[in-house]
Amino acid sequence: MSTEDKKFDDFDTLMVYLNESDDQKLTDGILSSPQGCKQLEGLQKDMNTIENKFNEYQTDEQYGSDLWNKISDRLDERAQISWFQKFIKQIQQPQFSAVGLVALFAIAVTFYLMGHNQAVVEIDSQKTTNQQLLSQNMQLHLAQTDMFLTQVSNMNTQNNSPVLIRTAESLLASNRIYKNAYANNDNKRLKNLLTELEQVLLEVSNGESKNSHNYISEYANKQLLYKVKSSNQQLKSQLSNQKTTSI
Amino acid sequence: MQEIDDKILTQAINGDKMAFRSLVIHYSKAVNLLAFRYAANKACAEDITQDTFIKAYKALPRYKANAKFSTWLFRVASNTSIDYLRKAKQHKQTDSIEQNPSISEKHNQQINHEDQLDLNRQLQSALSGLTDVERLAFTLKHQQGYSIAEISKQLKINNNACKQTIYRAVQKLRNKLTPMVST
């Protein structure tokens, strides 16, 4: 038997027929050989016969309709998809995708603003609390100063008692603190009062001369005492209003 | 195979049941034949066909028109068949008509004509001589045009085993269905 008449392996022939051979040289050998072509032809013929047998396989003419009758009741499950799946499917449609994006953006912005506003409210609330505390302390300071000035103004003669001086020094220190605390406040009247009080308290704490005592008595009697009392009253009413509002 | 009208297909995708009915009637025989090739049994093929169309109905919204509908549907049928045969194997059911009287009985009830009975029996006998894997590999390659790599992946076997499986299937079918082996 010559090389050209050599029978090729059926497996190799089938792989060439199916176009799945890994060996290109063998493929070329089969395709260029008369025996290889004869084997491929035979294989082709048999495969056609097999395929024709399958194509002769018969089902009833009404098979499609019968099949539909069997499965139609089982198709309703498709309608039972969840709202979330529907929503996802909807926003995946090209015409809805932009709307979906806008909706998501709007939701995100809403949540951001809600969070932001909550933060602002929290900051405002903190500020209000601080302001209330300052006003309460300021009111206490004014009440003490009121008592002190009343005492000083009631003295007929100069009295440089150490107790008075220490009280003046203490009130002076507090006064300076409140003056700084109210530096950025809009209440000009209160700021001016604290400045005036500082001068008077400074005079007393330094051990006043006879002239200065007269000045303090006169000043305290005529102007400062009145201002302290009215400011104190004003702060008291403000605080009571704020408490009512917060309740 | 002639494809169904695009309009009907679009209506079916949008959930129109009557359009889907048309689709079932149009493709049912082709799907049933494919299922029969895989299962080698008419009753099993009937079950696979039903499952295929139910799965297709549910998956229809995901169908993309970049492939022919018949290609997509046959792919669903192939996957359904593989699943069906795996489950059948798990339940220790045999696919041989001789070994399973209940399926044989079911089968016989559905055949009316003597000629058809002979042909179908001949086909069934030939296919029953193949193992599940041989039938699946042969049909996926010869009828569906899958590559060896794709079939290997589907059947979870290596490429060489896949080639040998197809070869064995072809040899068995040639012996059974062709009057004389040509090689």
Side-chain angles (χ1 to χ4, degrees), chain A residues 28-72:
Chain A
D28 293 341
I30 291 172
L31 292 174
S32 60
S33 151
Q35 176 61 27
C37 289
K38 192 182 167 190
Q39 281 180 243
L40 279 173
E41 197 180 320
L43 181 60
Q44 174 76 61
K45 194 179 164 189
D46 287 351
M47 295 300 271
N48 286 343
T49 306
I50 293 167
E51 194 56 32
N52 288 337
K53 293 271 184 189
F54 279 116
N55 289 335
E56 287 169 23
Y57 173 81
Q58 293 289 316
T59 47
D60 295 340
E61 282 301 312
Q62 297 297 313
Y63 178 71
S65 301
D66 292 343
L67 179 67
W68 172 253
N69 291 334
K70 287 173 189 169
I71 65 168
S72 57

Side-chain angles (χ1 to χ4, degrees), chain A residues 61-76, chain B residues 17-18 20-25 28 46 49-50 53-54:
Chain A
E61 282 301 312
Q62 297 297 313
Y63 178 71
S65 301
D66 292 343
L67 179 67
W68 172 253
N69 291 334
K70 287 173 189 169
I71 65 168
S72 57
D73 292 341
R74 295 160 64 189
L75 299 177
D76 294 331
Chain B
K17 263 192 165 184
M18 283 301 104
F20 189 71
R21 180 180 181 274
S22 305
L23 209 138
V24 169
I25 290 169
S28 58
E46 173 66 24
T49 308
Q50 288 184 25
F53 279 104
I54 290 166

